[in-house]
Amino acid sequence: MDIVDFLSERISEDEAVARTLLGDRTVSKSGAWYEQRLLLECEAKRRLIRIVETARQAALASLVSDPGQDPGWIPQSLEWLEQSLNALALPYYDHPDFDQDWLRA
């Protein structure tokens, strides 16, 4: 499974749990605050994934579009982007679909 697909599925699961808990009238005010915070964190992660994926696609397009160009910066950039996604996946390390290769920093 691709890390972006993995993250998207986990974030959707987190969001569904938060929405379910927010609908529970027995949840305290602090619990509701936490669930609202979780929803915002889900959105922040989605935005970050879009940014990273856009940067990754731009780096790959640059590599393909101008083969004569010195691509020295591209591999390093792609490594940073991969590390960013790996960091986002860390909280889900115990999920059965988690790839242990994503633990490397």
Side-chain angles (χ1 to χ4, degrees), residues 64-105:
V64 171
S65 69
D66 191 1
Q69 176 188 6
D70 175 22
W73 64 272
I74 294 174
Q76 185 176 15
S77 295
L78 291 172
E79 178 66 22
W80 291 336
L81 297 170
E82 182 180 334
Q83 288 179 20
S84 298
L85 293 173
N86 291 352
L88 284 173
L90 184 60
Y92 307 106
Y93 77 95
D94 59 347
H95 190 277
D97 292 333
F98 185 87
D99 185 332
Q100 293 299 309
D101 290 339
W102 297 336
L103 287 176
R104 70 177 181 82

Side-chain angles (χ1 to χ4, degrees), residues 3 7-8 24 56 64 67-68 80 87 100:
I3 192 166
L7 285 168
S8 296
D24 183 351
R56 187 173 74 90
V64 171
W80 291 336
Q100 293 299 309

Side-chain angles (χ1 to χ4, degrees), residues 5-101:
D5 293 334
F6 174 83
L7 285 168
S8 296
E9 288 180 17
R10 301 299 73 76
I11 292 167
S12 292
E13 290 170 0
D14 288 349
E15 185 177 45
V17 169
R19 290 190 186 284
T20 299
L21 291 172
L22 278 170
D24 183 351
R25 293 187 185 271
T26 63
V27 172
S28 69
K29 208 171 215 177
S30 62
W33 173 87
Y34 178 79
E35 300 311 323
Q36 287 289 349
R37 176 75 172 255
L38 181 56
L39 289 174
L40 291 172
E41 286 183 17
C42 289
E43 179 57 26
K45 289 176 185 177
R46 283 191 178 102
R47 288 181 186 190
L48 185 56
I49 290 168
R50 281 193 301 268
I51 291 166
V52 168
E53 274 300 284
T54 299
R56 187 173 74 90
Q57 292 302 320
L60 291 172
S62 178
L63 187 63
V64 171
S65 69
D66 191 1
Q69 176 188 6
D70 175 22
W73 64 272
I74 294 174
Q76 185 176 15
S77 295
L78 291 172
E79 178 66 22
W80 291 336
L81 297 170
E82 182 180 334
Q83 288 179 20
S84 298
L85 293 173
N86 291 352
L88 284 173
L90 184 60
Y92 307 106
Y93 77 95
D94 59 347
H95 190 277
D97 292 333
F98 185 87
D99 185 332
Q100 293 299 309
D101 290 339

